[in-house]
Amino acid sequence: MNVLQLKTGESAKVALITADERAKNRLFMLNVYVVAQVTLVRRAPFGGGVMLEAGGVRLAADKKLAEKIFVEKEGG
C-alpha cells in the first residue's frame, strides 16, 4: 500500500520508494527512507497531496510522489 492509503493519524513503516534518485535523496534528508516510521498528518482537499511526519520532521508530498512511497502497517 502507498501512503495515500493510510488514514489520518495512522503510522506505518516505509517498505519501498519507487521515485527517482533525486527524489529519494530529498526524502532521505527529510527522514523518509526504507524502514523509517511515517505518520499521515493531513490530506490536502480535493484529492491532492498529503502531509507526513517522519523522525520529527513534517513534509508535504504531492499526490504523484506519495503514490511512490510504499508502506507496511505493524503486524502485516
Side-chain angles (χ1 to χ4, degrees):
M1 75 188 302
N2 62 44
V3 294
L4 292 174
Q5 296 168 297
L6 293 173
K7 295 176 183 160
T8 302
E10 200 169 30
S11 296
K13 180 177 73 170
V14 177
L16 176 69
I17 300 173
T18 60
D20 61 43
E21 285 304 310
R22 185 175 178 196
K24 284 182 184 179
N25 289 336
R26 176 93 170 127
L27 288 169
F28 182 80
M29 290 188 290
L30 297 168
N31 295 330
V32 178
Y33 49 88
V34 173
V35 306
Q37 192 79 11
V38 296
T39 302
L40 180 68
V41 176
R42 181 174 35 196
R43 294 182 181 282
F46 309 112
V50 293
M51 179 174 285
L52 302 173
E53 184 171 340
V57 175
R58 286 191 176 193
L59 64 133
D62 67 7
K63 185 177 179 180
K64 285 184 179 184
L65 180 57
E67 289 173 338
K68 296 176 182 180
I69 304 171
F70 293 88
V71 296
E72 294 177 346
K73 292 187 203 176
E74 282 294 314

